[in-house]
Amino acid sequence: EAFEMLPGRGVAAIAEGTAVLAGNLELLAEHGISTSKEIVDSAQRHLEQGQTVTYVAANGEAIGYIALADAEREDSGAMIDRLKALNVQPILLTGDNPNAANALAARLHIDQVHANCLPEDKLKAIAECQSAHESVCMIGDGVNDAPALKSADVGIAMGGIGSDIAVDAGGIALVNDDVRELAHLVALSRRMMRTIKLNMTFSMALNFVAIVLAMIGTLNPVVGALVHNAGSVVVIINSALLLKWGDR
């Protein structure tokens, strides 16, 4: 009958007249609900295996937990390796417990891990990187990721499985959720910036030379117009090469 998402804590709902809480221990503690030693000890075995535990309470009483294990995409590890080859440093920001976060990071070849992250913790981690004059690209799909997606230099949201809030907060949306495109996106962006700088340098140098030649009388107006238009054609052709490069 009712539902509320509690960022960084879990969810609260009323189902068939029963008040249900599902989230971490902090959520239950905030509502004055104590968890039995039996539940905590049982859940600890799953935590040690790198799983995430969601505790469940009904009508003010802890009744159990749900153990979840992250299943990374088959191509995620290769994508991370490609990003590293492009001198991009991957960092995992997750609300999962340290065991689950470290187990996932090991499988994906990620060296830096921040576990038990609330939305504000993700913002702080991004701010620290930016204060070190590092450009930050944040990739996420959940409500908890929306503030971080907005504060990063570039925010990339998963368009298919991501929440509407995350998609709105991100500057780029991967419509097909294909993470393999991330490394290609970085490489293409860098190639595009090099092309822009090259085009600007060529255009300014050509115009400067043409102006000097015109001032000393070597270049007449007709030839000057031809040189100007020829330079524009060269810039357009050089930019068009990006289309062919992007198809690789």
Side-chain angles (χ1 to χ4, degrees):
E1 294 80 32
F3 176 85
E4 181 183 4
M5 180 172 287
L6 308 171
R9 291 289 186 265
V11 296
I14 298 178
E16 298 181 352
T18 301
V20 179
L21 292 174
N24 52 28
L25 289 174
E26 288 77 8
L27 174 64
L28 272 59
E30 289 173 358
H31 289 78
I33 301 174
S34 59
T35 308
S36 68
K37 184 177 185 300
E38 180 184 0
I39 292 178
V40 173
D41 291 343
S42 178
Q44 184 61 35
R45 292 196 295 270
H46 294 279
L47 293 172
E48 291 173 353
Q49 296 173 9
Q51 299 177 5
T52 298
V53 172
T54 299
Y55 298 90
V56 182
N59 290 331
E61 181 181 355
I63 61 173
Y65 62 87
I66 302 170
L68 306 172
D70 286 323
E72 68 276 9
R73 298 169 186 246
E74 293 181 358
D75 46 12
S76 295
M79 181 270 294
I80 294 295
D81 291 338
R82 289 182 60 194
L83 287 176
K84 286 185 173 181
L86 294 170
N87 293 323
V88 175
Q89 177 63 52
I91 301 175
L92 177 62
L93 304 176
T94 176
D96 292 344
N97 66 80
N99 287 337
N102 290 327
L104 179 63
R107 295 195 298 270
L108 296 181
H109 314 144
I110 298 177
D111 301 323
Q112 295 189 40
V113 181
H114 297 266
N116 290 329
C117 285
L118 298 176
E120 53 267 31
D121 296 324
K122 296 180 180 181
L123 285 175
K124 181 180 179 181
I126 290 176
E128 289 176 353
C129 292
Q130 292 174 330
S131 63
H133 306 290
E134 299 284 351
S135 297
V136 179
C137 175
M138 171 69 186
I139 305 163
D141 60 4
V143 175
N144 291 345
D145 296 325
L149 287 168
K150 200 69 175 180
S151 65
D153 297 285
V154 177
I156 301 178
M158 310 302 285
I161 63 174
S163 66
D164 293 339
I165 295 177
V167 173
D168 290 340
I172 299 173
L174 293 180
V175 178
N176 57 3
D177 292 336
D178 190 351
V179 294
R180 292 176 300 178
E181 298 296 333
L182 294 175
H184 174 73
L185 178 63
V186 173
L188 180 59
S189 299
R190 292 180 175 177
R191 179 63 177 264
M192 182 182 66
M193 290 305 301
R194 286 197 297 268
T195 299
I196 290 174
K197 294 176 181 178
L198 178 61
N199 286 344
M200 291 182 63
T201 302
F202 171 77
S203 297
M204 294 177 65
L206 181 64
N207 289 335
F208 177 78
V209 172
I211 290 173
V212 172
L213 293 177
M215 291 175 62
I216 63 177
T218 303
L219 196 65
N220 61 51
V222 175
V223 178
L226 292 174
V227 170
H228 177 76
N229 286 288
S232 299
V233 171
V234 171
V235 167
I236 293 173
I237 293 175
N238 188 44
S239 300
L241 293 176
L242 285 172
L243 297 175
K244 183 178 179 181
W245 187 90
D247 292 334
R248 296 177 183 176

